[in-house]
Amino acid sequence: MRISKKRLHGFLKTIKFHTFIRRRAFFMHKIRIKSFIHSLFFFPILFYGCGKTGAIKWLASTNDLRWYQESLEFSEATGTTNVIGIIESQAGQVIDGFGACFNELGWDALSVLGTDSRDSVVSLFFGPESELKFTLGRVPIGANDYAMDWYSLNDSAGDFSMKYFTISRDRERLIPYIKTALRYEPQLRIWGSPWCPPVWMKNNGHYACRMSEVNDLCCVQKEGKEGITQFIMQPEYLGAYALYFSRFVQAYRAEGIPVYAVHVQNEPNSCQNFPSCIWKPSDLAIFIGRFLGPKFDADQTGAEIWYGTIERPHIRNIDTVMEDDQAMKYIKGLGFQWAGKEVIGRANEKYPAIPLMETESECGDGSNDWKAAEYTFGLIRHYLENGANSYMYWNMVLDETGKSRWGWKQNSLITVDRASKKITFNPEFYLFKHFSYFIEPRAQRIVTRGNRKEVAAFKNPSGSVTVVIYNPMDTDDEVVVNTSMGNFKATMAPRSFNTFVYGIGNSNKF
């Protein structure tokens, strides 16, 4: 038995539904759901009979109808236009996975729910049986713009020995957030990055780089400027900061959270009104090569050092660090976000042996609409096409305001309404599922041919192939896909995301 898209759409028009109970293997447990759509979309899947080996699974989402299954068979389909060739023999980079950032305001939003409901929301993101199957998590080292307020892990001025270093603040929100995720994905790979060092290590003595109504930076004379390092570049400060990083890794490990990598500075060229710190690339090279790297070796942290997160489109900023012999021997990867997308392809060409990561998906303006998901599809495709091994979303969960500590309303995958405690699954949640649910860790991106740009394909370790296609048009769009197993033809709905999986056996399930 299978419910048709047309019949399902008509059914949705007549039904209003706000709450349902889900077992762990279904979709959600004891939380209030804003829309019946999310649960109902699973019925076509649950009722779908197992196909023969080599069957094609096709999941689609539109703004009106999300996560529904269509029928599809291999055939002798041909075409002269809108043909996509899947070249499985031409493999690109390995995909390490997808993930997002753990932020204080996210846990604060989740905390309005009961413990079971809160944990069930987290379970949607992490674990092999989850909806998004995230395998990576970012954590701020000290405050970021989605912290409750500004702080560092050592606010004791002049404490070069880190006697008063503490993660007690993190035990209130970030660590419970991460530990909940680890219950569902014990192999979760956590990496950290600071937005700002302790303020006594900065030459303006403040978390912010520029004045605004959301901070108390006193005067123009204390504002920073791109190209001028704000960190106090003296050996005792550089050595203390290296120790600060080492203590962070060790403290989190003692909490049962193995941090596999650190990125030395979030957006080192951006002068913000929230926690931030400008670094010249040459000064970052000094810090990495002469202080941080040797300290990590001496303390045997086991954590990697990445040069990230790069937010400017200038290859010279990357070259300056990568061409420094002392720094280069410690750098294990490069992280990119925002305008860094314009240079990741060049970096991939120049440093092909270095892993690349997209570190923060652009956060939008709080619209949480289909247009935002369509834009993010372009970002995901661009980064993966240009060599990224992993892709990170920003806020998994926010409340209905979506506002940061400094007032910018941003998007999230899930929204929690504080008053009603309703849960809303935003369009980007479904977009990520179209990728992360079907692309296994250690999959390889494979080459596609044809005149369609809105496509990405991957060969999974299990042997299946995942093809994700976006139809940006306002009309149905027919496409022919040529594969090693045969051809198939699909008519994609207007402005839809479509995932096709083939080369799978009867044991495969959604």
Side-chain angles (χ1 to χ4, degrees):
M1 176 180 178
R2 201 176 76 85
I3 301 174
S4 69
K5 173 182 172 182
K6 181 176 180 181
R7 182 182 176 187
L8 180 59
H9 187 62
F11 188 49
L12 288 171
K13 288 183 177 180
T14 62
I15 299 296
K16 291 185 178 179
F17 183 87
H18 296 289
T19 306
F20 69 87
I21 303 300
R22 167 195 180 266
R23 294 183 180 179
R24 180 67 186 87
F26 197 52
F27 191 70
M28 175 107 30
H29 177 63
K30 294 182 180 179
I31 63 177
R32 301 188 69 185
I33 303 301
K34 184 176 182 180
S35 173
F36 178 50
I37 293 174
H38 196 96
S39 63
L40 191 56
F41 288 158
F42 280 83
F43 282 96
I45 299 167
L46 294 172
F47 292 148
Y48 183 82
C50 293
K52 64 181 180 179
T53 300
I56 304 165
K57 306 291 187 182
W58 175 12
L59 272 294
S61 294
T62 68
N63 190 33
D64 297 323
L65 189 62
R66 300 173 192 173
W67 201 251
Y68 62 89
Q69 184 168 331
E70 291 278 29
S71 297
L72 196 61
E73 300 286 342
F74 283 113
S75 67
E76 299 300 319
T78 59
T80 57
T81 61
N82 250 0
V83 177
I84 298 172
I86 309 300
I87 317 300
E88 295 175 30
S89 60
Q90 296 185 30
Q93 78 274 19
V94 170
I95 305 301
D96 293 325
F98 297 82
C101 190
F102 295 94
N103 286 326
E104 285 193 332
L105 286 177
W107 187 251
D108 185 64
L110 284 167
S111 295
V112 305
L113 307 172
T115 300
D116 289 346
S117 297
R118 179 198 65 200
D119 292 359
S120 292
V121 173
V122 176
S123 77
L124 297 172
F125 297 105
F126 300 99
E129 301 300 320
S130 70
E131 306 307 318
L132 297 189
K133 300 184 180 180
F134 281 173
T135 58
L136 291 163
R138 181 183 186 181
V139 59
I141 304 175
N144 64 9
D145 49 321
Y146 270 84
M148 300 292 289
D149 50 46
W150 311 149
Y151 74 102
S152 78
L153 305 184
N154 189 345
D155 290 324
S156 298
D159 183 17
F160 297 105
S161 66
M162 291 292 130
K163 178 181 178 181
Y164 298 106
F165 177 95
T166 178
I167 59 169
S168 59
R169 166 66 175 265
D170 291 3
R171 292 192 184 100
E172 297 176 19
R173 296 178 182 87
L174 293 179
I175 288 175
Y177 201 173
I178 296 168
K179 285 187 173 181
T180 303
L182 285 168
R183 293 213 318 263
Y184 301 104
E185 179 47 270
Q187 303 304 314
L188 185 64
R189 304 181 73 207
I190 300 293
W191 61 275
S193 62
W195 270 244
C196 183
V199 297
W200 54 271
M201 296 184 181
K202 289 179 66 179
N203 54 34
N204 74 346
H206 201 281
Y207 289 105
C209 178
R210 60 181 174 85
M211 295 189 300
S212 82
E213 66 280 0
V214 300
N215 63 51
D216 59 356
L217 187 59
C218 71
C219 45
V220 173
Q221 290 78 9
K222 288 197 172 185
E223 289 193 321
K225 184 178 180 181
E226 185 168 346
I228 299 177
T229 297
Q230 288 187 296
F231 193 88
I232 300 173
M233 292 297 293
Q234 296 176 11
E236 63 266 38
Y237 287 89
L238 292 162
Y241 198 35
L243 177 57
Y244 180 87
F245 273 91
S246 179
R247 287 286 181 86
F248 162 75
V249 174
Q250 294 175 51
Y252 265 64
R253 181 179 297 152
E255 292 286 335
I257 303 172
V259 175
Y260 91 92
V262 297
H263 294 226
V264 289
Q265 173 64 48
N266 179 75
E267 299 183 350
N269 305 285
S270 296
C271 188
Q272 307 283 18
N273 63 0
F274 52 81
S276 51
C277 186
I278 301 289
W279 289 79
K280 291 192 303 185
S282 58
D283 287 339
L284 276 176
I286 290 170
F287 175 59
I288 294 169
R290 296 153 182 80
F291 294 91
L292 184 60
K295 185 60 179 173
F296 270 30
D297 279 353
D299 290 350
Q300 298 181 329
T301 66
E304 299 175 357
I305 297 171
W306 284 51
Y307 177 20
T309 61
I310 299 162
E311 87 291 25
R312 291 288 185 267
H314 310 307
I315 192 67
R316 190 62 211 160
N317 287 357
I318 300 171
D319 292 341
T320 297
V321 177
M322 300 298 285
E323 292 172 1
D324 182 288
D325 290 341
Q326 288 181 284
M328 176 62 180
K329 65 183 180 181
Y330 294 111
I331 294 173
K332 303 302 181 184
L334 299 172
F336 299 85
Q337 59 193 54
W338 292 88
K341 66 188 176 189
E342 299 177 31
V343 76
I344 187 174
R346 290 281 309 281
N348 190 35
E349 293 172 0
K350 294 194 74 170
Y351 309 102
I354 298 293
L356 309 175
M357 177 186 290
E358 186 282 335
T359 46
E360 180 186 305
S361 194
E362 295 176 28
C363 54
D365 58 4
S367 64
N368 287 316
D369 57 11
W370 197 253
K371 185 176 180 180
E374 291 175 301
Y375 179 77
T376 301
F377 174 90
L379 292 176
I380 296 173
R381 183 197 170 277
H382 171 83
Y383 277 101
L384 297 180
E385 183 75 14
N386 283 280
N389 302 95
S390 50
Y391 193 100
M392 306 290 297
Y393 194 71
W394 179 218
N395 281 294
M396 289 177 280
V397 181
L398 290 175
D399 70 12
E400 73 283 358
T401 71
K403 287 185 178 180
S404 65
R405 172 69 171 75
W406 57 286
W408 183 6
K409 188 175 182 179
Q410 300 179 11
N411 293 342
S412 58
L413 298 176
I414 286 178
T415 298
V416 176
D417 184 275
R418 288 182 179 274
S420 67
K421 300 185 180 180
K422 289 182 181 178
I423 311 300
T424 300
F425 296 86
N426 297 319
E428 286 176 295
F429 181 96
Y430 297 93
L431 168 63
F432 267 80
K433 188 170 181 179
H434 274 280
F435 283 92
S436 61
Y437 193 90
F438 297 103
I439 300 171
E440 302 168 8
R442 309 306 294 171
Q444 281 188 281
R445 185 183 63 83
I446 52 181
V447 171
T448 62
R449 301 289 187 220
N451 57 1
R452 288 298 297 261
K453 295 181 179 180
E454 304 86 7
V455 58
F458 309 87
K459 182 68 174 288
N460 290 313
S462 64
S464 64
V465 173
T466 298
V467 182
V468 185
I469 306 176
Y470 161 55
N471 173 20
M473 299 190 298
D474 291 325
T475 59
D476 286 349
D477 188 25
E478 185 178 84
V479 64
V480 174
V481 181
N482 297 334
T483 81
S484 62
M485 297 183 66
N487 301 344
F488 62 84
K489 180 186 292 186
T491 300
M492 301 179 296
R495 297 179 65 182
S496 62
F497 304 125
N498 302 267
T499 298
F500 305 91
V501 186
Y502 62 88
I504 52 181
N506 290 338
S507 61
N508 184 272
K509 62 180 181 179
F510 301 170

